[in-house]
Amino acid sequence: MNTAPNAPLRQVTVIRPATPRLDTANLATGYLFQVRWENRVNALRHCIDQLVTHHDMPEATAELAALQAYAAIEGTNHTARIDVDATTSDLVVLRTEGGRPVAFTTADLLRLLQRARDEGAAIVIAQDRRRPVVLEH
C-alpha cells in the first residue's frame, strides 16, 4: 500500500451488499418451511402477517407471495400441474398425472367455490378485509 503523503486514495467498491435481500417468494417459502401449522388458513394468515410486519411488504404483495409459496410447497409431491401456457384469464388447464388436460372455466371455478362455501370449506383468511379466500380441506 502506498502511504506517500500525496498518493491518490483508492475507492473500494462493494460487489454485493453485506446482507443479501431475499425476494418475496423466498421469504414466504422460508417462513412456511420454518413453521408448521395445522391448516392452510393459519399458515397463510401468519405468513402474510410476517411478511407485512417484518419485511414492510404491502399487504396485497404479501398475500400473493404467501399463496404462491404455499401452493408450490403443497404441489411438490404431486405430478399434476397447472399448464400455464394453456391457461388464460377464462380457463385454467390442469394436466393430470398422465398429461391429460382437465379444463376449468371461470364458471366451473365459481361453482366449486359456491359448493365449498355451502359446505363451510371456503375460509376468509383475514376477516377484517374479507380476503383472501382459500378452500380448507
Side-chain angles (χ1 to χ4, degrees):
M1 184 165 138
N2 189 351
T3 57
N6 293 332
L9 296 176
R10 295 184 183 190
Q11 284 188 314
V12 176
T13 303
V14 177
I15 296 174
R16 62 185 166 88
T19 307
R21 295 191 58 108
L22 295 174
D23 65 17
T24 56
N26 286 334
L27 288 168
T29 302
Y31 180 77
L32 290 170
F33 266 125
Q34 286 176 4
V35 183
R36 303 291 184 246
W37 301 97
E38 67 275 6
N39 60 52
R40 77 169 60 190
V41 172
N42 286 341
L44 289 167
R45 180 180 297 130
H46 290 284
C47 184
I48 292 165
D49 288 344
Q50 174 83 4
L51 294 173
V52 169
T53 305
H54 297 285
H55 298 284
D56 297 323
M57 198 175 292
E59 204 158 1
T61 303
E63 288 172 354
L64 185 57
L67 291 167
Q68 289 174 340
Y70 192 93
I73 292 169
E74 186 179 65
T76 324
N77 294 321
H78 296 287
T79 55
R81 292 283 180 255
I82 293 173
D83 184 339
V84 295
D85 293 324
T87 296
T88 68
S89 60
D90 300 308
L91 175 73
V92 174
V93 177
L94 174 72
R95 297 275 177 187
T96 60
E97 297 81 17
R100 176 174 292 165
V102 179
F104 294 95
T105 66
T106 303
D108 296 332
L109 293 171
L110 287 171
R111 280 192 292 278
L112 287 171
L113 176 58
Q114 188 56 53
R115 186 178 307 154
R117 284 180 174 148
D118 293 344
E119 295 171 358
I123 310 295
V124 179
I125 292 176
Q127 290 290 333
D128 57 329
R129 292 182 333 278
R130 300 181 47 96
R131 59 182 276 195
V133 175
V134 296
L135 305 184
E136 188 64 78
H137 46 87

